[in-house]
Amino acid sequence: HRLLRLNPFEFPDEVHISEHIDRLIDIFNACWPMYAAMPAVLKESMERAYVSCGWNLRTSDSAYGIFPTFADVVRELNMYVDESEYSSDSKGDYKGALGTRLHSMCNGILGQIFSGESVSDETLFDSNVIVDLSRVGSIETKALIMGLLVMKLNEYRMSQGGKTLPLKHAVV
């Protein structure tokens, strides 16, 4: 038994960074209750995190070959909201709601899952793997992990040319 390690901000070279970010936002929006400008604030924070790690959002090239983590997104969220022209109430709401959720991904078992070196896509998707989520307490977090795994599987298969292949996976 090995602990699942997954950096949701990693993606294959063949996938454009903007597509990946949009998929992430869709997953977070489905798993976490978000209101008003929260999805836009989260997206801006993610984009800033990628830029701070050396990514060009237009060309999808990386100067350093590193991907951001949840800690990077939390840092960028706080800076972005502080610099924004949102009202002080909205700033508090956005930092409180989004910051708390993102920060929870950096602590405890989730911090171990979402930080550090990811399990390779080849290991996850080209061999027999069981991901047991029975010990993940929150339904929101289970949904998030499942959504991220399906997204990673989709992007991995797309990076292999997107051809129609014989059955490779059964997701239960």
Coordinates of all heavy atoms in Angstrom, one line a residue, residues 49-141:
A49 N -0.2 31.7 -9.8 CA 0.6 30.7 -9.2 C 1.5 30.1 -10.3 O 2.7 29.8 -10.1 CB -0.2 29.6 -8.5
Y50 N 0.9 29.8 -11.5 CA 1.6 29.2 -12.6 C 2.7 30.2 -13.1 O 3.9 29.9 -13.3 CB 0.7 28.8 -13.8 CG 0.1 27.5 -13.6 CD1 -1.2 27.3 -13.3 CD2 0.8 26.3 -13.9 CE1 -1.8 26.1 -13.1 CE2 0.2 25.1 -13.8 CZ -1.1 25.0 -13.4 OH -1.7 23.7 -13.3
V51 N 2.3 31.5 -13.2 CA 3.3 32.5 -13.6 C 4.4 32.6 -12.7 O 5.6 32.7 -13.1 CB 2.5 33.9 -13.9 CG1 3.5 35.0 -14.1 CG2 1.6 33.8 -15.0
S52 N 4.1 32.6 -11.4 CA 5.2 32.7 -10.4 C 6.1 31.5 -10.4 O 7.3 31.6 -9.9 CB 4.6 32.9 -9.0 OG 4.1 31.7 -8.5
C53 N 5.7 30.4 -11.0 CA 6.5 29.2 -11.1 C 7.2 29.2 -12.5 O 7.8 28.2 -12.9 CB 5.7 27.9 -10.9 SG 5.2 27.6 -9.2
G54 N 7.1 30.3 -13.3 CA 7.8 30.4 -14.5 C 7.0 30.0 -15.8 O 7.6 29.9 -16.8
W55 N 5.7 29.9 -15.7 CA 4.9 29.5 -16.8 C 4.4 30.7 -17.6 O 4.1 31.7 -17.1 CB 3.7 28.7 -16.4 CG 4.0 27.3 -15.9 CD1 4.4 26.9 -14.7 CD2 4.0 26.2 -16.8 NE1 4.6 25.6 -14.7 CE2 4.4 25.1 -16.0 CE3 3.7 25.9 -18.1 CZ2 4.5 23.8 -16.5 CZ3 3.8 24.6 -18.6 CH2 4.2 23.6 -17.8
N56 N 4.4 30.5 -19.0 CA 3.9 31.5 -19.9 C 2.5 31.0 -20.2 O 2.3 29.9 -20.8 CB 4.7 31.6 -21.1 CG 4.2 32.6 -22.1 OD1 3.0 32.7 -22.4 ND2 5.1 33.4 -22.7
L57 N 1.4 31.7 -19.8 CA 0.1 31.3 -20.0 C -0.4 31.3 -21.5 O -1.3 30.5 -21.9 CB -0.9 32.1 -19.2 CG -0.7 32.1 -17.7 CD1 -1.7 33.1 -17.0 CD2 -0.8 30.7 -17.1
R58 N 0.3 32.1 -22.3 CA -0.1 32.1 -23.7 C 0.5 31.0 -24.5 O -0.2 30.3 -25.3 CB 0.3 33.5 -24.3 CG -0.1 33.7 -25.7 CD 0.3 35.0 -26.3 NE 1.7 35.3 -26.3 CZ 2.6 34.7 -27.1 NH1 2.2 33.8 -28.0 NH2 3.9 34.9 -27.0
T59 N 1.8 30.7 -24.3 CA 2.5 29.7 -25.0 C 2.5 28.3 -24.3 O 2.8 27.3 -25.0 CB 3.9 30.0 -25.3 OG1 4.6 30.1 -24.0 CG2 4.0 31.4 -26.0
S60 N 2.1 28.3 -23.1 CA 2.1 27.0 -22.3 C 3.5 26.4 -22.1 O 3.7 25.2 -22.0 CB 1.1 26.0 -22.9 OG 0.8 25.0 -22.0
D61 N 4.5 27.3 -22.1 CA 5.9 26.9 -21.8 C 6.3 27.3 -20.4 O 5.8 28.3 -19.9 CB 6.8 27.6 -22.8 CG 6.6 27.2 -24.3 OD1 6.3 26.0 -24.5 OD2 6.7 28.1 -25.2
S62 N 7.2 26.4 -19.9 CA 7.7 26.7 -18.5 C 9.2 27.0 -18.5 O 9.9 26.2 -19.2 CB 7.4 25.4 -17.7 OG 8.0 25.6 -16.4
A63 N 9.5 28.0 -17.9 CA 11.0 28.4 -17.8 C 11.7 27.5 -16.9 O 12.9 27.2 -17.1 CB 11.1 29.8 -17.3
Y64 N 11.1 26.9 -15.9 CA 11.8 26.1 -14.9 C 11.4 24.6 -14.8 O 12.0 23.8 -14.1 CB 11.6 26.7 -13.5 CG 11.9 28.2 -13.5 CD1 10.9 29.1 -13.2 CD2 13.2 28.7 -13.7 CE1 11.2 30.4 -13.1 CE2 13.4 30.0 -13.7 CZ 12.4 30.9 -13.4 OH 12.7 32.2 -13.4
G65 N 10.2 24.3 -15.5 CA 9.8 22.9 -15.5 C 9.1 22.5 -14.2 O 9.1 21.3 -13.8
I66 N 8.7 23.5 -13.4 CA 8.0 23.2 -12.1 C 6.5 23.6 -12.1 O 6.2 24.5 -12.9 CB 8.7 23.8 -10.9 CG1 8.7 25.3 -11.0 CG2 10.1 23.2 -10.7 CD1 9.2 26.0 -9.8
F67 N 5.7 22.9 -11.4 CA 4.3 23.1 -11.3 C 4.0 23.7 -9.9 O 4.7 23.4 -8.9 CB 3.5 21.9 -11.5 CG 3.6 21.3 -12.9 CD1 4.6 20.3 -13.1 CD2 2.8 21.7 -13.9 CE1 4.7 19.8 -14.4 CE2 2.9 21.2 -15.1 CZ 3.9 20.2 -15.4
P68 N 3.0 24.6 -9.9 CA 2.6 25.1 -8.5 C 2.0 24.1 -7.7 O 1.6 23.0 -8.1 CB 1.6 26.2 -8.9 CG 1.1 26.0 -10.3 CD 2.2 25.1 -10.9
T69 N 1.8 24.4 -6.4 CA 1.1 23.5 -5.5 C -0.1 24.3 -4.8 O -0.2 25.5 -5.1 CB 2.0 23.1 -4.3 OG1 2.4 24.3 -3.6 CG2 3.3 22.4 -4.9
F70 N -0.8 23.7 -4.0 CA -1.9 24.4 -3.3 C -1.3 25.6 -2.5 O -1.9 26.6 -2.4 CB -2.7 23.5 -2.4 CG -3.8 22.7 -3.1 CD1 -3.7 21.4 -3.3 CD2 -4.9 23.4 -3.6 CE1 -4.7 20.7 -4.0 CE2 -5.9 22.7 -4.2 CZ -5.8 21.4 -4.5
A71 N -0.2 25.4 -1.9 CA 0.4 26.5 -1.1 C 0.7 27.7 -2.0 O 0.5 28.9 -1.5 CB 1.7 26.0 -0.4
D72 N 1.2 27.5 -3.2 CA 1.4 28.6 -4.1 C 0.1 29.3 -4.4 O 0.1 30.6 -4.5 CB 2.0 28.1 -5.4 CG 3.4 27.5 -5.2 OD1 4.2 28.1 -4.5 OD2 3.7 26.4 -5.8
V73 N -1.0 28.6 -4.7 CA -2.3 29.2 -5.0 C -2.8 30.0 -3.8 O -3.3 31.1 -4.0 CB -3.3 28.1 -5.5 CG1 -4.6 28.7 -5.7 CG2 -2.8 27.4 -6.7
V74 N -2.6 29.4 -2.6 CA -3.0 30.2 -1.4 C -2.3 31.5 -1.3 O -2.9 32.6 -1.1 CB -2.8 29.3 -0.1 CG1 -3.0 30.2 1.1 CG2 -3.7 28.1 -0.1
R75 N -1.0 31.5 -1.5 CA -0.2 32.7 -1.5 C -0.7 33.7 -2.5 O -0.9 34.9 -2.2 CB 1.3 32.4 -1.7 CG 2.2 33.6 -1.6 CD 3.6 33.3 -2.1 NE 3.7 33.0 -3.5 CZ 4.0 31.9 -4.1 NH1 4.4 30.8 -3.3 NH2 4.0 31.7 -5.4
E76 N -0.9 33.3 -3.7 CA -1.3 34.1 -4.8 C -2.8 34.7 -4.5 O -3.1 35.8 -4.8 CB -1.3 33.5 -6.1 CG 0.2 33.1 -6.6 CD 1.1 34.3 -6.7 OE1 0.6 35.4 -7.0 OE2 2.3 34.2 -6.5
L77 N -3.6 33.8 -4.0 CA -5.0 34.2 -3.6 C -4.9 35.4 -2.6 O -5.6 36.4 -2.9 CB -5.8 33.1 -3.0 CG -7.1 33.5 -2.3 CD1 -8.1 33.7 -3.4 CD2 -7.5 32.4 -1.4
N78 N -4.1 35.3 -1.6 CA -4.0 36.3 -0.6 C -3.5 37.6 -1.2 O -4.1 38.7 -0.9 CB -3.2 35.9 0.6 CG -3.9 34.9 1.4 OD1 -5.1 34.9 1.6 ND2 -3.1 33.9 2.0
M79 N -2.5 37.5 -2.0 CA -1.9 38.8 -2.7 C -3.0 39.4 -3.6 O -3.1 40.6 -3.7 CB -0.6 38.4 -3.4 CG 0.5 38.2 -2.4 SD 2.2 38.1 -3.2 CE 2.0 36.8 -4.4
Y80 N -3.6 38.5 -4.4 CA -4.6 39.0 -5.4 C -5.7 39.7 -4.8 O -6.1 40.9 -5.1 CB -5.1 37.9 -6.3 CG -6.2 38.3 -7.2 CD1 -6.0 39.3 -8.2 CD2 -7.5 37.8 -7.1 CE1 -7.1 39.7 -9.0 CE2 -8.5 38.2 -7.9 CZ -8.3 39.1 -8.9 OH -9.4 39.5 -9.7
V81 N -6.3 39.1 -3.8 CA -7.5 39.7 -3.1 C -7.0 41.0 -2.4 O -7.8 42.0 -2.4 CB -8.1 38.7 -2.1 CG1 -9.1 39.4 -1.2 CG2 -8.7 37.5 -2.9
D82 N -5.9 41.0 -1.8 CA -5.4 42.2 -1.1 C -5.2 43.4 -2.1 O -5.5 44.5 -1.8 CB -4.1 42.0 -0.4 CG -4.2 41.2 0.9 OD1 -5.4 41.1 1.4 OD2 -3.2 40.7 1.4
E83 N -4.8 43.1 -3.3 CA -4.5 44.1 -4.4 C -5.8 44.5 -5.1 O -5.9 45.5 -5.7 CB -3.6 43.6 -5.4 CG -2.2 43.3 -5.0 CD -1.4 42.4 -6.0 OE1 -1.9 42.1 -7.1 OE2 -0.3 42.1 -5.7
S84 N -6.9 43.7 -5.0 CA -8.1 43.9 -5.7 C -8.9 45.1 -5.2 O -8.6 45.7 -4.1 CB -9.0 42.7 -5.7 OG -9.6 42.6 -4.4
E85 N -9.9 45.5 -6.0 CA -10.8 46.6 -5.6 C -12.1 46.1 -5.0 O -13.1 46.8 -4.9 CB -11.0 47.5 -6.8 CG -9.8 48.2 -7.3 CD -10.0 49.2 -8.4 OE1 -11.1 49.6 -8.6 OE2 -9.0 49.5 -9.1
Y86 N -12.1 44.8 -4.6 CA -13.3 44.3 -4.0 C -13.5 45.0 -2.6 O -12.5 45.5 -2.0 CB -13.2 42.8 -3.7 CG -13.1 41.9 -4.9 CD1 -12.0 41.2 -5.2 CD2 -14.2 41.8 -5.8 CE1 -12.0 40.4 -6.3 CE2 -14.2 41.0 -6.9 CZ -13.1 40.3 -7.2 OH -13.0 39.5 -8.3
S87 N -14.7 45.1 -2.2 CA -15.0 45.7 -0.9 C -14.3 44.9 0.2 O -13.9 43.7 0.0 CB -16.5 45.7 -0.6 OG -17.0 44.4 -0.4
S88 N -14.1 45.5 1.4 CA -13.4 44.8 2.4 C -14.2 43.6 2.9 O -13.6 42.6 3.2 CB -13.1 45.8 3.6 OG -14.3 46.4 4.1
D89 N -15.5 43.7 2.8 CA -16.3 42.5 3.2 C -16.1 41.4 2.2 O -15.9 40.2 2.6 CB -17.8 42.9 3.2 CG -18.3 43.6 4.4 OD1 -17.5 43.7 5.4 OD2 -19.4 44.1 4.4
S90 N -16.1 41.7 0.9 CA -15.9 40.7 -0.1 C -14.5 40.1 0.0 O -14.3 38.9 -0.2 CB -16.1 41.3 -1.5 OG -17.5 41.6 -1.7
K91 N -13.5 41.0 0.3 CA -12.1 40.5 0.4 C -12.1 39.4 1.5 O -11.5 38.4 1.4 CB -11.2 41.6 0.7 CG -10.9 42.5 -0.4 CD -9.9 43.6 0.0 CE -9.6 44.5 -1.2 NZ -8.5 45.5 -1.0
G92 N -12.7 39.8 2.7 CA -12.7 38.8 3.8 C -13.5 37.5 3.4 O -13.0 36.4 3.8
D93 N -14.6 37.7 2.7 CA -15.3 36.5 2.3 C -14.5 35.6 1.4 O -14.5 34.4 1.6 CB -16.6 36.9 1.6 CG -17.6 37.5 2.5 OD1 -17.5 37.4 3.8 OD2 -18.6 38.1 2.0
Y94 N -13.8 36.2 0.4 CA -13.1 35.4 -0.6 C -11.9 34.8 0.1 O -11.6 33.6 -0.1 CB -12.7 36.2 -1.8 CG -13.8 36.7 -2.6 CD1 -13.8 37.9 -3.3 CD2 -15.0 35.9 -2.8 CE1 -14.9 38.3 -4.1 CE2 -16.1 36.3 -3.5 CZ -16.0 37.5 -4.2 OH -17.1 37.9 -4.9
K95 N -11.1 35.5 0.8 CA -10.0 35.0 1.5 C -10.4 33.9 2.5 O -9.7 32.9 2.6 CB -9.2 36.1 2.2 CG -8.4 36.9 1.2 CD -7.7 38.1 1.9 CE -6.5 37.7 2.6 NZ -5.7 38.9 3.1
G96 N -11.5 34.2 3.2 CA -12.0 33.2 4.2 C -12.4 31.9 3.6 O -12.0 30.8 3.9
A97 N -13.3 32.0 2.6 CA -13.9 30.8 2.0 C -12.9 30.1 1.1 O -12.7 28.9 1.3 CB -15.2 31.2 1.2
L98 N -12.3 30.8 0.2 CA -11.4 30.1 -0.7 C -10.1 29.7 0.0 O -9.6 28.6 -0.2 CB -11.1 31.0 -2.0 CG -12.2 31.0 -3.0 CD1 -11.8 32.1 -4.1 CD2 -12.4 29.7 -3.6
G99 N -9.6 30.7 0.7 CA -8.3 30.5 1.4 C -8.4 29.3 2.4 O -7.5 28.5 2.4
T100 N -9.5 29.2 3.1 CA -9.6 28.1 4.1 C -9.7 26.7 3.4 O -9.0 25.8 3.8 CB -10.9 28.3 4.9 OG1 -10.7 29.5 5.6 CG2 -11.1 27.2 5.9
R101 N -10.5 26.7 2.3 CA -10.6 25.4 1.5 C -9.2 25.0 0.9 O -8.8 23.9 1.0 CB -11.6 25.6 0.4 CG -13.0 25.6 1.0 CD -14.0 25.8 -0.2 NE -15.3 26.0 0.4 CZ -16.2 26.9 -0.2 NH1 -15.9 27.5 -1.3 NH2 -17.4 27.1 0.3
L102 N -8.6 26.0 0.3 CA -7.3 25.7 -0.3 C -6.2 25.3 0.7 O -5.5 24.4 0.5 CB -6.8 26.9 -1.1 CG -7.6 27.2 -2.4 CD1 -7.2 28.6 -2.9 CD2 -7.4 26.2 -3.5
H103 N -6.2 26.0 1.8 CA -5.3 25.7 2.9 C -5.5 24.3 3.5 O -4.5 23.7 3.8 CB -5.3 26.8 4.0 CG -4.2 26.7 5.0 ND1 -2.9 27.0 4.6 CD2 -4.2 26.3 6.3 CE1 -2.1 26.8 5.7 NE2 -2.9 26.4 6.7
S104 N -6.7 23.9 3.5 CA -7.0 22.6 4.0 C -6.4 21.5 3.1 O -6.2 20.3 3.6 CB -8.5 22.3 4.2 OG -9.1 22.2 2.9
M105 N -6.1 21.8 1.9 CA -5.4 20.8 1.0 C -3.9 20.7 1.3 O -3.3 19.9 0.7 CB -5.7 21.2 -0.5 CG -7.1 21.3 -0.9 SD -7.9 19.7 -0.9 CE -9.2 20.0 0.2
C106 N -3.4 21.6 2.2 CA -2.0 21.6 2.5 C -1.7 20.9 3.8 O -0.5 20.8 4.2 CB -1.5 23.1 2.6 SG -1.7 24.0 1.1
N107 N -2.7 20.5 4.6 CA -2.5 20.0 5.9 C -3.0 18.5 6.0 O -3.8 18.1 5.3 CB -3.3 20.8 6.9 CG -2.9 22.2 6.9 OD1 -1.7 22.5 6.9 ND2 -3.8 23.2 7.0
G108 N -2.4 17.8 7.0 CA -2.8 16.5 7.3 C -2.7 15.5 6.2 O -1.7 15.6 5.4
I109 N -3.6 14.6 6.1 CA -3.5 13.5 5.0 C -3.6 14.2 3.6 O -2.9 13.7 2.7 CB -4.5 12.4 5.2 CG1 -4.2 11.2 4.3 CG2 -5.9 12.9 5.0 CD1 -3.1 10.4 4.7
L110 N -4.4 15.2 3.5 CA -4.5 15.9 2.2 C -3.3 16.6 1.8 O -2.9 16.6 0.6 CB -5.7 16.8 2.2 CG -7.1 16.2 2.4 CD1 -8.2 17.3 2.5 CD2 -7.4 15.2 1.3
G111 N -2.6 17.1 2.8 CA -1.3 17.7 2.5 C -0.3 16.7 2.0 O 0.6 17.0 1.1
Q112 N -0.3 15.5 2.5 CA 0.5 14.4 2.0 C 0.2 14.0 0.6 O 1.0 13.7 -0.2 CB 0.5 13.2 3.0 CG 1.1 13.5 4.4 CD 0.9 12.3 5.3 OE1 1.1 11.2 4.9 NE2 0.6 12.6 6.6
I113 N -1.1 13.9 0.4 CA -1.6 13.5 -1.0 C -1.2 14.6 -2.0 O -0.7 14.3 -3.1 CB -3.1 13.3 -1.0 CG1 -3.5 12.0 -0.1 CG2 -3.7 13.2 -2.4 CD1 -5.0 11.8 0.1
F114 N -1.5 15.9 -1.7 CA -1.4 16.9 -2.7 C -0.1 17.7 -2.7 O 0.1 18.7 -3.4 CB -2.5 17.9 -2.5 CG -3.9 17.4 -2.8 CD1 -4.9 17.5 -1.9 CD2 -4.1 16.8 -4.0 CE1 -6.2 17.0 -2.2 CE2 -5.4 16.3 -4.3 CZ -6.4 16.4 -3.4
S115 N 0.9 17.2 -2.0 CA 2.2 17.9 -2.0 C 3.3 16.9 -2.4 O 3.1 15.7 -2.2 CB 2.6 18.6 -0.7 OG 2.7 17.6 0.3
G116 N 4.4 17.4 -2.9 CA 5.5 16.5 -3.3 C 5.3 15.9 -4.7 O 4.5 16.4 -5.5
E117 N 6.1 14.9 -4.9 CA 6.2 14.2 -6.2 C 4.9 13.4 -6.4 O 4.5 12.6 -5.6 CB 7.4 13.3 -6.2 CG 7.7 12.8 -7.6 CD 8.3 13.8 -8.5 OE1 8.9 14.8 -8.0 OE2 8.1 13.7 -9.7
S118 N 4.3 13.6 -7.6 CA 3.1 12.9 -7.9 C 3.4 11.5 -8.4 O 4.5 11.2 -8.9 CB 2.3 13.5 -9.1 OG 1.7 14.7 -8.7
V119 N 2.5 10.5 -8.1 CA 2.6 9.2 -8.8 C 2.5 9.4 -10.3 O 1.7 10.2 -10.7 CB 1.5 8.3 -8.3 CG1 1.5 7.0 -9.0 CG2 1.5 8.1 -6.8
S120 N 3.4 8.8 -11.0 CA 3.4 9.0 -12.5 C 2.1 8.6 -13.1 O 1.4 7.7 -12.6 CB 4.6 8.3 -13.1 OG 4.3 6.9 -13.2
D121 N 1.7 9.3 -14.2 CA 0.5 8.9 -15.0 C 0.7 7.4 -15.4 O -0.3 6.7 -15.5 CB 0.3 9.8 -16.2 CG -0.1 11.2 -15.7 OD1 -0.6 11.4 -14.6 OD2 -0.1 12.1 -16.6
E122 N 1.9 7.0 -15.8 CA 2.1 5.7 -16.3 C 1.7 4.7 -15.2 O 1.1 3.6 -15.4 CB 3.5 5.5 -16.8 CG 3.9 6.2 -18.0 CD 4.2 7.7 -17.8 OE1 4.3 8.1 -16.6 OE2 4.2 8.5 -18.8
T123 N 2.2 5.0 -14.0 CA 1.9 4.1 -12.9 C 0.4 4.0 -12.6 O -0.2 3.0 -12.4 CB 2.6 4.5 -11.6 OG1 4.0 4.4 -11.9 CG2 2.3 3.6 -10.4
L124 N -0.2 5.2 -12.5 CA -1.7 5.3 -12.2 C -2.5 4.7 -13.3 O -3.5 4.0 -13.0 CB -2.1 6.8 -12.1 CG -2.0 7.4 -10.7 CD1 -2.4 8.8 -10.7 CD2 -2.9 6.6 -9.7
F125 N -2.2 4.9 -14.6 CA -3.1 4.6 -15.6 C -2.7 3.5 -16.6 O -3.5 3.0 -17.4 CB -3.4 5.8 -16.4 CG -3.9 7.0 -15.6 CD1 -3.3 8.2 -15.6 CD2 -5.0 6.8 -14.7 CE1 -3.8 9.3 -14.8 CE2 -5.4 7.8 -13.9 CZ -4.8 9.1 -14.0
D126 N -1.5 3.0 -16.4 CA -1.1 1.9 -17.3 C -0.8 0.6 -16.5 O -0.2 -0.3 -17.0 CB 0.2 2.3 -18.1 CG -0.2 3.3 -19.2 OD1 -1.3 3.4 -19.6 OD2 0.8 4.0 -19.6
S127 N -1.1 0.6 -15.3 CA -1.0 -0.6 -14.5 C -2.2 -0.8 -13.6 O -3.1 0.0 -13.6 CB 0.3 -0.5 -13.6 OG 0.2 0.6 -12.7
N128 N -2.3 -1.9 -12.9 CA -3.5 -2.2 -12.1 C -3.3 -1.4 -10.8 O -2.4 -1.7 -10.0 CB -3.6 -3.7 -11.8 CG -3.8 -4.5 -13.0 OD1 -4.5 -4.0 -13.9 ND2 -3.3 -5.7 -13.1
V129 N -4.2 -0.5 -10.6 CA -4.2 0.4 -9.4 C -5.6 0.5 -8.8 O -6.6 0.6 -9.5 CB -3.7 1.8 -9.8 CG1 -3.8 2.8 -8.6 CG2 -2.3 1.8 -10.3
I130 N -5.6 0.4 -7.5 CA -6.8 0.6 -6.7 C -6.6 1.9 -5.9 O -5.6 1.9 -5.1 CB -7.2 -0.5 -5.8 CG1 -7.5 -1.8 -6.7 CG2 -8.4 -0.2 -4.9 CD1 -7.7 -3.0 -5.9
V131 N -7.5 2.9 -6.0 CA -7.4 4.1 -5.2 C -8.6 4.0 -4.2 O -9.7 4.0 -4.6 CB -7.5 5.4 -6.1 CG1 -7.5 6.6 -5.2 CG2 -6.4 5.4 -7.1
D132 N -8.2 3.7 -3.0 CA -9.2 3.6 -1.9 C -9.5 4.9 -1.2 O -8.6 5.4 -0.5 CB -8.7 2.5 -0.9 CG -9.6 2.3 0.2 OD1 -10.8 2.8 0.2 OD2 -9.2 1.5 1.2
L133 N -10.7 5.4 -1.4 CA -11.0 6.7 -0.8 C -11.9 6.5 0.5 O -12.5 7.5 1.0 CB -11.7 7.6 -1.8 CG -11.0 7.9 -3.0 CD1 -11.8 8.8 -4.0 CD2 -9.7 8.7 -2.7
S134 N -12.0 5.3 1.0 CA -12.9 5.0 2.1 C -12.5 5.8 3.3 O -13.4 6.0 4.2 CB -12.9 3.5 2.4 OG -11.7 3.0 2.8
R135 N -11.3 6.2 3.5 CA -10.8 6.9 4.7 C -10.8 8.4 4.6 O -10.5 9.1 5.5 CB -9.5 6.4 5.1 CG -9.5 4.9 5.6 CD -8.2 4.5 6.1 NE -8.3 3.1 6.5 CZ -7.4 2.4 7.2 NH1 -6.3 3.0 7.5 NH2 -7.6 1.2 7.5
V136 N -11.2 8.9 3.4 CA -11.4 10.3 3.2 C -12.7 10.7 3.8 O -13.7 10.1 3.4 CB -11.3 10.7 1.7 CG1 -11.5 12.2 1.5 CG2 -9.9 10.3 1.1
G137 N -12.7 11.6 4.7 CA -13.9 11.9 5.5 C -15.0 12.7 4.7 O -16.1 12.3 4.7
S138 N -14.6 13.7 4.1 CA -15.5 14.7 3.5 C -16.0 14.2 2.1 O -15.1 13.8 1.3 CB -14.8 16.0 3.4 OG -15.4 16.8 2.5
I139 N -17.2 14.3 1.9 CA -17.8 14.0 0.6 C -17.2 14.9 -0.5 O -16.9 14.5 -1.6 CB -19.3 14.1 0.6 CG1 -19.9 13.1 1.6 CG2 -19.9 13.9 -0.8 CD1 -20.6 11.9 1.2
E140 N -17.1 16.2 -0.1 CA -16.5 17.2 -1.0 C -15.1 16.8 -1.5 O -14.8 16.9 -2.6 CB -16.5 18.6 -0.4 CG -17.8 19.3 -0.3 CD -17.7 20.6 0.4 OE1 -16.6 21.0 0.9 OE2 -18.7 21.3 0.5
T141 N -14.3 16.3 -0.5 CA -12.9 16.0 -0.8 C -12.9 14.7 -1.6 O -12.1 14.6 -2.5 CB -12.1 15.8 0.5 OG1 -12.3 17.0 1.3 CG2 -10.7 15.6 0.2

